[in-house]
């Protein structure tokens, strides 16, 4: 496998596979997980360091093992194994390994005192730099962690969760105030643009024309073009009536299960645009004349059609 996927290909592939998996499984909203959660960045840094360290150790072991073989064994090994020897012969790789491992040939190693156990003697090897870097990095991380969370009172995971939940509730409440499909009669407004009225006309033709006629003149249902209304003639009144239905037993059915709030707003706005069109053979007025309290600046008694 090493022969086909050298270390400079294998390490990035493994690292970015783990990186993408973390980004996929950690819900970090609109920011990358390693930016929103510092611990993810720390994990990725340590993981990359360990990944490189493992490759260095494996390459060092393979290199030492290879140079201890006879020429015939080397030839057989190159034929039947996948150890990539070519990269170990490059000078830049040798310099890198030397800097990270500080390894010395066995014959140059010094023995540790007089330890000798059944012929096994312990070499006085120095700790490799890569291991020391990792050790010092852990100490630095521990110091930063201690200062941030124990001295400066940084938020732990539980505190971060509480803050995010509180912010989510604020965002949801803000969204509910302006969300089109969360609209009700207390927040609905009259639409006047041509695009919205055209959509309302299409909805009216498909769902309302059978009872109110295509021109709104009224048939089974009341005339929608005059000033007489049963439940009021404001956009809020119409929205409520279309949503919840008309008079019990003989009025219009509720459309809230069939139409979205935005669609009800559009068709209600279109109905109001029919005021004063005076279609031919319109149905006789039904209900009472309705006066908009916003225009009269006074609150009239509840008027029913």
């Amino acid at each position: 496998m090493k022969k086909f996927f050298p270390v400079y290909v294998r390490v990035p592939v493994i690292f970015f596979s783990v990186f993408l998996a973390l980004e996929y499984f950690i819900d970090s909203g609109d920011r990358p997980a390693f930016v929103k959660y510092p611990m993810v960045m720390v994990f990725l840094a340590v993981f990359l360091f360990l990944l490189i360290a493992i490759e260095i150790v494996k390459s060092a072991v393979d290199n030492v093992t290879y140079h201890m073989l006879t020429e015939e064994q080397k030839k057989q090994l190159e034929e039947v194994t996948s150890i990539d020897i070519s990269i170990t012969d490059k000078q830049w790789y040798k310099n890198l390994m030397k800097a990270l491992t500080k390894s010395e040939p066995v014959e140059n190693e010094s023995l540790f005192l007089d330890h000798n156990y059944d012929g096994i003697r312990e070499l006085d090897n120095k700790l490799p730099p890569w291991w020391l870097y990792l050790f010092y990095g852990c100490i630095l991380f521990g110091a930063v962690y201690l200062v941030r969370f124990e001295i400066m009172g940084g938020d732990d995971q539980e505190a971060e969760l509480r803050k995010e939940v509180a912010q989510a509730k604020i965002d949801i409440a803000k969204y509910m105030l302006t969300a089109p499909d969360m609209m009700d009669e207390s927040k609905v407004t009259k639409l006047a643009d041509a695009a919205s009225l055209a959509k309302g006309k299409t909805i009216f033709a498909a769902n309302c024309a059978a009872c109110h006629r295509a021109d709104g003149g009224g048939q089974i249902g009341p005339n929608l073009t005059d000033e007489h209304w049963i439940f009021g003639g404001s956009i809020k009144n119409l929205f409520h009536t279309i949503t919840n239905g008309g008079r019990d037993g003989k009025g219009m059915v509720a459309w809230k299960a069939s139409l979205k709030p935005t669609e009800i707003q559009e068709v209600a706005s279109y109905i109001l645009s029919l005021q004063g069109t005076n279609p031919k053979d319109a149905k006789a007025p039904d209900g009472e004349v309705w006066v908009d309290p916003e225009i009269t600046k006074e609150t009239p008694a509840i008027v029913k059609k």
Side-chain angles (χ1 to χ4, degrees):
M1 185 64 69
K2 294 181 182 178
K3 192 171 183 178
F4 300 102
F5 299 100
V7 63
Y8 51 81
V9 173
R10 188 165 59 249
V11 170
V13 168
I14 296 175
F15 175 77
F16 282 106
S17 296
V18 174
F19 173 81
L20 294 175
L22 289 174
E23 289 294 333
Y24 178 80
F25 288 107
I26 297 178
D27 183 9
S28 56
D30 56 350
R31 291 191 295 169
F34 72 94
V35 173
K36 187 171 183 180
Y37 304 110
M39 291 302 298
V40 175
M41 181 182 294
V42 172
F43 170 80
L44 289 173
V46 173
F47 176 75
L48 178 61
F49 193 91
L50 289 175
L51 195 62
I52 296 174
I54 291 172
E55 291 293 342
I56 290 173
V57 172
K58 288 171 60 180
S59 298
V61 172
D62 289 343
N63 193 30
V64 171
T65 304
Y66 178 78
H67 286 90
M68 293 177 62
L69 301 177
T70 63
E71 292 300 323
E72 182 179 355
Q73 290 174 327
K74 291 179 181 179
K75 185 177 180 181
Q76 294 176 351
L77 189 62
E78 291 176 3
E79 293 177 355
V80 300
T81 69
S82 58
I83 295 181
D84 185 5
I85 305 302
S86 59
I87 192 173
T88 62
D89 291 334
K90 295 182 179 180
Q91 188 60 40
W92 67 267
Y93 181 80
K94 293 180 180 179
N95 294 336
L96 177 63
M97 290 295 297
K98 185 71 174 178
L100 292 176
T101 62
K102 297 293 184 182
S103 59
E104 293 286 344
V106 176
E107 56 271 16
N108 295 340
E109 295 285 359
S110 59
L111 297 177
F112 181 73
L113 298 178
D114 295 325
H115 291 182
N116 189 329
Y117 300 97
D118 296 330
I120 300 175
R121 309 181 72 180
E122 183 178 0
L123 297 177
D124 185 15
N125 292 329
K126 296 181 180 179
L127 290 172
W130 68 265
W131 192 96
L132 287 174
Y133 298 154
L134 179 60
F135 178 68
Y136 295 146
C138 290
I139 295 176
L140 179 61
F141 171 78
V144 173
Y145 186 94
L146 178 66
V147 171
R148 179 182 177 186
F149 294 103
E150 300 299 331
I151 298 177
M152 300 183 65
D155 293 339
D156 56 16
Q157 291 180 333
E158 184 178 355
E160 288 180 353
L161 176 62
R162 287 197 299 267
K163 286 185 176 181
E164 290 184 2
V165 170
Q167 184 61 44
K169 291 181 179 179
I170 295 173
D171 293 340
I172 291 173
K174 183 177 179 181
Y175 172 80
M176 294 283 285
L177 294 175
T178 58
D181 287 334
M182 297 295 179
M183 190 185 311
D184 58 25
E185 60 265 26
S186 65
K187 295 181 291 184
V188 67
T189 57
K190 180 181 176 181
L191 303 174
D193 59 287
S196 298
L197 295 180
K199 292 179 181 177
K201 182 178 181 180
T202 301
I203 298 170
F204 184 88
N207 301 281
C208 312
C211 295
H212 296 282
R213 287 186 8 188
D215 56 11
Q219 190 168 325
I220 300 174
N223 181 1
L224 301 176
T225 66
D226 57 29
E227 298 178 350
H228 294 71
W229 295 92
I230 299 174
F231 295 106
S234 72
I235 185 65
K236 295 182 180 356
N237 297 140
L238 265 68
F239 187 95
H240 177 83
T241 303
I242 297 171
T243 301
N244 300 292
R247 293 167 291 187
D248 294 337
K250 61 177 181 177
M252 179 180 65
V253 299
W255 288 94
K256 58 186 176 183
S258 304
L259 298 177
K260 297 179 180 179
T262 49
E263 293 174 327
I264 296 176
Q265 180 189 30
E266 289 164 351
V267 72
S269 298
Y270 171 73
I271 291 172
L272 290 178
S273 72
L274 298 175
Q275 289 289 287
T277 55
N278 299 317
K280 184 179 179 180
D281 299 327
K283 187 177 180 181
D286 190 3
E288 302 292 338
V289 175
W290 184 85
V291 180
D292 191 345
E294 294 296 328
I295 297 177
T296 60
K297 301 300 181 180
E298 60 184 19
T299 305
I302 298 176
V303 178
K304 290 188 176 182
K305 263 192 175 182

